[in-house]
Amino acid sequence: MLKLSILQITKMHFQWDWLCLRVLIISSVTAGMRNKENLDADVEVENFDKQSQEADVDRDKSSIEVVYQTPKPTGEVYFTETFDEGLSGWVLSVTLKEDMDDNVAKYDGRWEVEELKENAMPGDRGLVLKSVAKYHAISAMLTKAFVFDDKPLIVQYEVNFQKGIDCGGAYIKLLSSSNDLNLEYFFDKTPYTIMFGPDKCGEDYKLHFIFRHKNPKTGEYDEKHAERPDVDLKKYYLDKKTHLYTLVLKPDDTFEILIDQIVVSKGSLLENMIPPVNPSKEIEDPTDKKPDDWDERPKIPDPNAVKPDDWDEDEPAKIEDPDAVKPEGWLDDEPQYVPDPNANKPKDWDEEMDGEWEAPQIPNPKCETAPGCGEWVHPMKNNPKYKGKWRAPMIDNPNYQGIWSPRKIPNPDYFEDLHPFKMTTVSAIGLELWSMTSDIYFDNFIICSEKEVADRWAADSWGLKKLVASANEPGMFSQLVTAAEEHPWLWVLYILTLALPIGLSVLFCWPGKKSDEYINFKKPDVSKQITKGEQKEETEELEDNELEEEKENEDTGEDEDEGGEDIYDDDEENEVPDESQEGDDRSNKSDSEDETPAPHCL
């Protein structure tokens, strides 16, 4: 039992040592993984540099320097614009909005071509909306018109809300082709085919995709809105970073909306638009009316039910508690409020005009130490006899006919457009906006039919912006502090995260003093020690035996070797008491050692 317990305790300390060693190994491996992630990030930067081939990326300890070059399209495009050469080809609107006062209806919002305020690259400029609470309108013709036939339409551009956004839009319009299209008179009523981009007012964050569909029966146009993306758009509008917005329309009547090259919404033009492209085959008959005797009540009061004789509707819900007793010390003669003795009549008080002045009322200070003041009345309690107004129980209505609805008739305006992708040809692009926030940044417009062309354009423009912004972001510690300043409850999470591993390390690696049980196991058995008297008697017996054996050896003529062996054996026996004494000394030494605390785990 003693040996087993010592082995168990030794095993326990061995496990603690292994736990400490594991903590150190895990810490080392984690640090190595972080170093590897940083190395992988550097490799990704190098790969991006090789793909661009037009950007020279230098990475140092604090930032990334990028040599910017104006991107060039690598395939067929219908329109591109980088604004690096200014506003060449763009036309400012000079018209007025309709049905508004002329001073308000002017499109006099200011546009500028500028670099980004943060994370700018020398030579990279964009179009910036500068005015607040004004209407802005600017447009440009496409290089060639886009005809909705058998090729996809891809629209892509960048937006940066450099000051966030309170209320305003950053969407674009693809203007419909027409013989009378004049960009100088571009305004909110100018016909467009597609409207696409971000918009926000209050807490309503939107990402528009609207197309105007032509009714094949009437020739009129109706706006069809895509269903809302099932993502949180708030972060894209408030983080003051440049984001890439992409719309992909395909000839199979499907669409995709991407932010930063990640799909946030997709669907079908036939199924995911509001209102639907194709109307219902049947509609409710507007001339149909509900019959007067139509009963829509699923339940009715039981006509055979009778109010019980003991049902008293006059009993009140509350009655005075007759068992209540006025508390001792209740001040019946003291009012709850008294005039303020410290109040003084204002100097400008005119009793003829203002009446007799009275001091304002304050709580009676005598009532603060008393259970109550004023006339005491019995408190109210629930009336056990109260039942309220009697009502007959409800039963199923035998005449129930269900909820009435008008009959259906064929929809006279029904049509079926199986390919809504075939929209009105587009020949121009325009921005017609109003905003309560300035410095909205637009850049790198492209309209094409090949996704590879749009992706390559993004890599040479938006990709570089993203790279520079990522390099200039604050470190992890700064980000954690910033987040905690916005959400103070995060400090508690940080403290718990740091305290938990430290507490576990102290718990398992510093077990403290050895247990009393372990100390008792190491103490020798006192009952087995040899006393000094026993040692002396044993020594005398050994000496007598030795003399007797010598005499026997002389008489029998035994050879000296055997006698020497006996003497050698006797010497070993004589050494036994000495070993016992040494055991006493070792036992005493062990006891003194056990009083010292157990060593700590390093």
Side-chain angles (χ1 to χ4, degrees):
M1 184 67 181
L2 175 62
K3 293 181 180 180
L4 180 60
S5 300
I6 294 176
L7 288 174
Q8 289 176 343
I9 294 175
T10 304
K11 183 177 179 182
M12 186 185 305
H13 282 276
F14 182 73
Q15 290 176 346
W16 284 344
D17 294 340
W18 264 111
L19 180 59
C20 296
L21 182 60
R22 288 172 187 166
V23 171
L24 295 176
I25 292 174
I26 291 173
S27 301
S28 301
V29 171
T30 303
M33 291 175 64
R34 290 176 180 170
N35 292 334
K36 184 177 184 299
E37 290 176 356
N38 294 335
L39 182 59
D40 292 341
D42 293 338
V43 172
E44 291 177 3
V45 170
E46 293 175 4
N47 291 338
F48 183 88
D49 183 36
K50 292 178 182 179
Q51 292 176 359
S52 297
Q53 295 181 357
E54 297 173 350
D56 181 15
V57 181
D58 268 336
R59 189 181 187 97
D60 56 24
K61 294 182 180 179
S62 61
S63 64
I64 290 182
E65 295 181 0
V66 175
V67 177
Y68 170 78
Q69 293 183 357
T70 301
K72 299 185 182 334
T74 57
E76 181 184 14
V77 296
Y78 301 91
F79 180 79
T80 60
E81 180 59 80
T82 65
F83 299 104
D84 293 342
E85 302 299 329
L87 288 174
S88 176
W90 289 82
V91 179
L92 291 172
S93 178
V94 296
T95 190
L96 302 174
K97 290 178 69 73
E98 294 181 352
D99 303 325
M100 298 184 69
D101 185 82
D102 291 349
N103 294 328
V104 180
K106 292 180 180 179
Y107 283 95
D108 55 353
R110 187 164 57 92
W111 300 92
E112 296 288 348
V113 174
E114 301 175 347
E115 292 184 354
L116 281 168
K117 293 184 178 298
E118 297 181 1
N119 304 316
M121 295 183 293
D124 179 26
R125 302 194 296 170
L127 178 66
V128 181
L129 181 149
K130 301 297 292 183
S131 303
V132 174
K134 288 184 177 294
Y135 291 104
H136 302 71
I138 191 170
S139 55
M141 297 298 296
L142 303 187
T143 306
K144 61 178 179 178
F146 181 85
V147 179
F148 292 87
D149 190 8
D150 57 355
K151 291 183 178 181
L153 170 67
I154 299 175
V155 183
Q156 183 172 276
Y157 69 108
E158 302 169 13
V159 176
N160 187 322
F161 297 107
Q162 298 184 96
K163 294 183 178 179
I165 182 69
D166 293 324
C167 185
Y171 45 81
I172 63 173
K173 292 181 178 180
L174 301 184
L175 306 182
S176 304
S177 295
S178 64
N179 294 329
D180 58 350
L181 179 60
N182 186 341
L183 299 185
E184 288 187 350
Y185 296 96
F186 168 50
F187 71 132
D188 59 326
K189 300 294 179 63
T190 301
Y192 70 88
T193 299
I194 290 175
M195 190 175 94
F196 169 65
D199 188 17
K200 185 251 182 182
C201 199
E203 290 302 314
D204 189 10
Y205 297 84
K206 298 179 181 178
L207 181 55
H208 292 297
F209 165 43
I210 306 171
F211 78 92
R212 295 174 71 243
H213 178 258
K214 184 178 180 179
N215 188 316
K217 295 189 70 172
T218 64
E220 296 179 353
Y221 286 87
D222 297 314
E223 289 185 351
K224 309 297 180 181
H225 297 246
E227 296 174 352
R228 282 177 174 264
D230 191 19
V231 296
D232 183 12
L233 298 173
K234 185 175 182 179
K235 59 181 179 179
Y236 299 109
Y237 295 9
L238 302 181
D239 62 3
K240 301 179 182 179
K241 295 181 179 179
T242 303
H243 293 289
L244 185 71
Y245 295 87
T246 307
L247 171 66
V248 180
L249 277 178
K250 300 179 183 178
D252 63 356
D253 301 300
T254 60
F255 68 89
E256 288 183 342
I257 299 175
L258 302 88
I259 302 180
D260 297 343
Q261 299 182 324
I262 298 175
V263 176
V264 297
S265 178
K266 61 181 180 179
S268 168
L269 299 178
L270 292 168
E271 299 175 0
N272 301 105
M273 306 304 293
I274 303 172
V277 170
N278 295 315
S280 302
K281 292 183 177 181
E282 292 183 330
I283 61 171
E284 294 180 348
D285 186 356
T287 63
D288 192 14
K289 295 182 179 180
K290 182 174 71 172
D292 295 336
D293 59 350
W294 190 277
D295 196 340
E296 293 182 336
R297 300 173 300 165
K299 297 280 188 179
I300 59 171
D302 185 358
N304 299 321
V306 179
K307 183 175 72 172
D309 295 335
D310 60 348
W311 192 286
D312 188 353
E313 295 182 349
D314 297 330
E315 284 286 346
K318 297 283 186 178
I319 59 173
E320 290 185 352
D321 185 1
D323 300 326
V325 178
K326 181 173 68 174
E328 293 184 4
W330 189 279
L331 304 177
D332 296 86
D333 299 331
E334 290 290 339
Q336 293 184 356
Y337 292 91
V338 296
D340 185 358
N342 299 321
N344 297 316
K345 183 173 68 173
K347 294 181 180 180
D348 58 350
W349 187 273
D350 187 346
E351 292 191 356
E352 293 183 359
M353 297 292 295
D354 303 325
E356 182 181 358
W357 181 82
E358 294 181 357
Q361 298 286 309
I362 61 172
N364 190 342
K366 295 181 180 179
C367 298
E368 294 180 357
T369 57
C373 291
E375 182 182 0
W376 182 84
V377 295
H378 287 267
M380 304 297 287
K381 70 172 187 177
N382 292 331
N383 185 359
K385 299 180 180 180
Y386 173 74
K387 295 184 179 181
K389 186 175 180 59
W390 181 84
R391 290 181 177 85
M394 303 299 286
I395 62 173
D396 292 335
N397 183 0
N399 299 321
Y400 176 65
Q401 296 174 273
I403 303 299
W404 181 87
S405 61
R407 62 175 174 266
K408 298 288 186 179
I409 62 173
N411 185 357
D413 299 324
Y414 174 74
F415 63 84
E416 187 175 25
D417 183 357
L418 298 178
H419 298 291
F421 174 78
K422 296 185 180 297
M423 304 176 191
T424 305
T425 300
V426 171
S427 60
I429 182 173
L431 291 88
E432 189 265 323
L433 304 170
W434 183 89
S435 177
M436 290 299 296
T437 308
S438 62
D439 290 326
I440 302 176
Y441 177 94
F442 302 85
D443 202 3
N444 296 315
F445 291 87
I446 185 171
I447 299 176
C448 60
S449 292
E450 299 178 31
K451 190 64 165 61
E452 295 78 9
V453 174
D455 290 343
R456 180 68 214 193
W457 177 268
D460 293 342
S461 53
W462 173 77
L464 297 182
K465 286 188 177 76
K466 181 181 179 183
L467 186 65
V468 173
S470 298
N472 292 335
E473 283 186 352
M476 179 63 71
F477 180 77
S478 299
Q479 294 182 30
L480 292 175
V481 172
T482 302
E485 290 175 352
E486 297 178 358
H487 307 284
W489 57 268
L490 286 175
W491 286 115
V492 178
L493 182 62
Y494 296 164
I495 294 172
L496 292 177
T497 303
L498 293 175
L500 183 60
I502 295 174
L504 290 176
S505 300
V506 172
L507 178 63
F508 290 104
C509 296
W510 275 263
K513 294 184 178 181
K514 296 182 180 179
S515 64
D516 293 339
E517 184 181 1
Y518 180 65
I519 294 174
N520 292 335
F521 284 155
K522 293 196 65 178
K523 290 183 179 181
D525 190 354
V526 178
S527 62
K528 294 185 179 180
Q529 294 181 359
I530 301 175
T531 63
K532 293 183 179 180
E534 292 175 347
Q535 181 180 352
K536 184 176 180 181
E537 293 177 358
E538 186 176 357
T539 303
E540 292 176 353
E541 290 178 2
L542 290 173
E543 291 177 352
D544 293 339
N545 292 335
E546 183 179 353
L547 293 174
E548 291 178 359
E549 289 178 356
E550 289 180 355
K551 291 179 180 181
E552 290 177 358
N553 290 338
E554 292 177 357
D555 296 337
T556 58
E558 292 179 353
D559 53 42
E560 294 180 358
D561 293 337
E562 292 177 354
E565 292 175 359
D566 292 338
I567 294 172
Y568 179 77
D569 294 338
D570 294 337
D571 292 339
E572 288 182 348
E573 293 178 359
N574 291 335
E575 292 175 1
V576 172
D578 296 336
E579 292 177 356
S580 176
Q581 185 65 31
E582 292 176 359
D584 290 341
D585 296 338
R586 286 195 301 269
S587 175
N588 294 333
K589 183 177 181 181
S590 174
D591 292 341
S592 63
E593 290 176 353
D594 291 343
E595 295 176 358
T596 61
H600 293 292
C601 174
L602 299 178

